[in-house]
Amino acid sequence: MLLNHLPDGTPAVNEKYYLLSEVLPQDYELRKNLHLKRLEQVLQQHQFERTDQTFKRECLHCRDVIAPTRACFIEHLFAKHFLQLGKSENLVYIDELIDDVQDKLEQLICLFCSKKFKDRPTLKEHMRKKGHKRINPDNKTFDKYFLVNYKNEMDNPRGSGHSAKQSVQSVMLNSMNVSRRTQSKAAYESNGAAAQSDSDSDWSDWEGEKQKLNCLFCSINDTDFPAIKSHMKASHEFDFETAISGLNFYEKVKVVNYMRRQMHLSKCVSCDEQFETIKLLYDHLASAKHYGIGSKSKWDHPEFFFPTYEDDSFLCYLDDPNDNSCMDDAVVISEEPLVSVNPTVVEKLSKENE
């Protein structure tokens, strides 16, 4: 390319500049090797973070000191404080990610919408009510912490789209799990493109892939909901339909999420006793016959509207079409204080409006 100035801005005539381009084989190989080298460095860091047993750090929300792995720290944030940073096996540069999150919280900035608040309680209440206790997938500043993006970078170095939201096939490493935010966006774009190119297709015989349903007490799973209920009745002496009879849809959701949370924390769903291992919990449930849903005082809390595990398919089968229960059945308690009004004032305002 010919320009009329030198690199320092001095005027010149037909000064030659050579541009790099992937059209050139040498340039393509150079870019590919650089991306591969970067990926290797990231994978080494990822492997270190997964195997390092010397990690120790105080929680961002409480005074607990979490050790010995970064995975334990990420799990603690989710289990105790419902803060979702992603799965530890999908993350890299976790120390820097935690520093970034801590810095935002100290500056009273919401992780999801990036709004700034006047104090810590207001920020916490906002993040709780709006469901913003998680990373925004559209915020590119967090892309560097997701392992999948480095694979995308090598596959499509010129891609102008949001790499964390593109479709990825794990051909580099079996352990390179694709984050759900990437898969959902890619599926949406793929389906949209197919619908646009073939809008007259007949979809009447299409059946989606059935999702696996996990037992509420053990690791058994099946794609058939009645089969899972039969398993719980036969293996755990737990009749799910009988246990939730009389509950409306929202109460059923809270029951399932409560049971998931208890089992995840190795706590008995009935007596709330804590066990060191899941095996000890299994033995306790079997010997004490504590398979159940627990008392209403334990699960009837707003926090159990949120699933313990992402995309828990079990919840999709709770909305029975024959069930006439609705939100009106539940008592809604206002978060704002009620203000008493003088009847005389009300009567006076009514007359003025007339």
Side-chain angles (χ1 to χ4, degrees):
M1 184 172 66
L2 301 178
L3 295 178
N4 293 328
H5 60 77
L6 298 175
D8 60 359
T10 305
V13 178
N14 293 335
E15 187 68 23
K16 292 182 179 180
Y17 288 84
Y18 299 91
L19 303 180
L20 292 175
S21 171
E22 293 181 24
V23 176
L24 301 175
Q26 299 89 340
D27 178 75
Y28 175 78
E29 287 299 321
L30 176 61
R31 292 173 187 268
K32 184 177 179 180
N33 291 335
L34 289 174
H35 286 306
L36 183 59
K37 183 178 180 180
R38 178 178 173 85
L39 179 60
E40 290 175 349
Q41 293 174 345
V42 170
L43 290 176
Q44 290 178 1
Q45 177 66 21
H46 180 257
Q47 181 65 20
F48 166 75
E49 292 177 353
R50 294 194 65 180
T51 57
D52 180 35
Q53 298 289 322
T54 62
F55 178 85
K56 187 176 182 181
R57 181 162 182 161
E58 184 175 320
C59 175
L60 302 179
H61 291 286
C62 62
R63 297 182 179 274
D64 292 349
V65 176
I66 313 301
T69 66
R70 292 161 179 82
C72 294
F73 190 89
I74 298 296
E75 178 64 23
H76 169 83
L77 290 178
F78 175 72
K80 296 293 186 182
H81 308 290
F82 312 109
L83 181 60
Q84 304 178 40
L85 301 184
K87 296 181 179 179
S88 58
E89 61 265 28
N90 294 333
L91 299 174
V92 68
Y93 302 120
I94 295 180
D95 292 343
E96 189 176 342
L97 169 61
I98 297 173
D99 289 338
D100 195 0
V101 171
Q102 183 176 10
D103 182 62
K104 287 183 178 296
L105 294 179
E106 289 177 350
Q107 295 185 50
L108 306 178
I109 297 176
C110 174
L111 289 180
F112 190 87
C113 64
S114 298
K115 291 182 180 179
K116 190 168 185 178
F117 294 84
K118 60 180 181 180
D119 52 38
R120 187 68 175 263
T122 305
L123 170 63
K124 292 174 65 176
E125 185 69 7
H126 161 81
M127 294 177 67
R128 183 187 67 82
K129 283 187 175 181
K130 298 294 184 179
H132 284 188
K133 302 180 79 171
R134 55 194 175 97
I135 288 177
N136 189 343
D138 293 321
N139 190 341
K140 294 185 177 182
T141 59
F142 291 108
D143 280 0
K144 64 180 295 185
Y145 305 121
F146 288 86
L147 185 64
V148 67
N149 291 323
Y150 297 95
K151 173 65 166 53
N152 286 344
E153 184 181 73
M154 191 181 74
D155 287 345
N156 186 22
R158 293 190 302 171
S160 57
H162 191 63
S163 61
K165 301 164 79 176
Q166 295 171 346
S167 176
V168 177
Q169 297 179 353
S170 55
V171 296
M172 181 63 66
L173 287 175
N174 290 332
S175 62
M176 189 181 294
N177 298 321
V178 181
S179 62
R180 289 190 179 274
R181 63 189 185 131
T182 304
Q183 293 174 332
S184 60
K185 179 64 176 180
Y188 175 82
E189 293 175 348
S190 176
N191 293 336
Q196 184 176 2
S197 63
D198 191 12
S199 58
D200 296 330
S201 299
D202 183 12
W203 294 86
S204 59
D205 59 344
W206 179 83
E207 292 184 2
E209 181 182 358
K210 292 185 177 180
Q211 300 294 323
K212 289 185 177 181
L213 306 167
N214 292 322
C215 172
L216 296 175
F217 296 102
C218 65
S219 59
I220 295 296
N221 60 65
D222 199 300
T223 57
D224 186 45
F225 186 56
I228 284 294
K229 291 192 292 184
S230 298
H231 158 75
M232 291 191 292
K233 194 171 184 178
S235 301
H236 308 301
E237 300 181 5
F238 175 72
D239 190 334
F240 179 74
E241 294 299 336
T242 301
I244 64 172
S245 62
L247 303 181
N248 62 39
F249 170 71
Y250 300 93
E251 290 174 332
K252 295 174 186 177
V253 168
K254 287 190 283 188
V255 164
V256 172
N257 290 334
Y258 164 76
M259 295 176 69
R260 294 286 196 208
R261 177 61 55 83
Q262 290 293 99
M263 296 301 296
H264 175 73
L265 298 177
S266 297
K267 287 186 176 182
C268 177
V269 294
S270 297
C271 66
D272 204 35
E273 184 177 354
Q274 177 76 59
F275 295 89
E276 294 182 359
T277 65
I278 192 67
K279 186 180 183 305
L280 293 176
L281 173 58
Y282 287 159
D283 295 338
H284 166 77
L285 292 173
S287 61
K289 303 296 182 182
H290 275 188
Y291 295 110
I293 64 174
S295 62
K296 188 173 182 179
S297 60
K298 294 180 180 178
W299 54 256
D300 193 19
H301 300 284
E303 65 185 274
F304 295 116
F305 276 126
F306 304 96
T308 301
Y309 301 111
E310 186 178 7
D311 296 336
D312 188 353
S313 301
F314 198 102
L315 298 173
C316 299
Y317 290 84
L318 298 180
D319 194 6
D320 187 353
N322 298 322
D323 187 0
N324 295 323
S325 61
C326 63
M327 191 69 173
D328 295 337
D329 296 336
V331 178
V332 180
I333 302 176
S334 172
E335 296 186 0
E336 300 295 333
L338 296 177
V339 180
S340 60
V341 181
N342 192 320
T344 306
V345 177
V346 175
E347 182 179 358
K348 181 178 180 181
L349 290 175
S350 301
K351 290 180 180 180
E352 290 180 354
N353 290 333
E354 292 176 356

